[in-house]
């Protein structure tokens, strides 16, 4: 299918509508970033409910 690239206005023939391959390569280079490691605090569940008498029963 032939259409006009929405980014650079050049005529392109591609399977799907969108930026041409040159524009896609430029966008990948501009917005590429490296992943990073994020350290999170240790998970501690909240104690919203007090234990019931059956759970505290000693044998």
């Amino acid at each position: 299918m032939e259409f006009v690239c929405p980014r650079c206005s050049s005529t392109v023939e591609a399977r799907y509508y969108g930026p041409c391959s040159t524009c896609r390569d430029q966008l990948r280079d501009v917005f590429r970033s490296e992943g990073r490691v994020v350290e999170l605090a240790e998970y501690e569940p909240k104690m919203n409910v007090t234990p019931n008498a059956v759970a505290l029963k000693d044998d």
Side-chain angles (χ1 to χ4, degrees):
M1 149 172 157
E2 191 171 309
F3 57 89
V4 175
C5 174
R7 189 164 184 262
C8 66
S9 301
S10 64
T11 303
V12 198
E13 188 167 327
R15 188 171 183 181
Y16 298 109
Y17 179 79
C20 62
S21 60
T22 307
C23 289
R24 283 195 306 264
D25 292 339
Q26 289 173 354
L27 288 168
R28 280 189 194 107
D29 291 338
V30 169
F31 293 106
R32 183 173 310 217
S33 65
E34 295 296 321
R36 60 179 195 256
V37 176
V38 178
E39 295 204 20
L40 299 174
E42 183 78 22
Y43 174 73
E44 284 187 35
K46 293 195 299 183
M47 197 60 173
N48 291 340
V49 181
T50 57
N52 62 22
V54 175
L56 296 176
K57 183 178 178 182
D58 291 330
D59 287 332

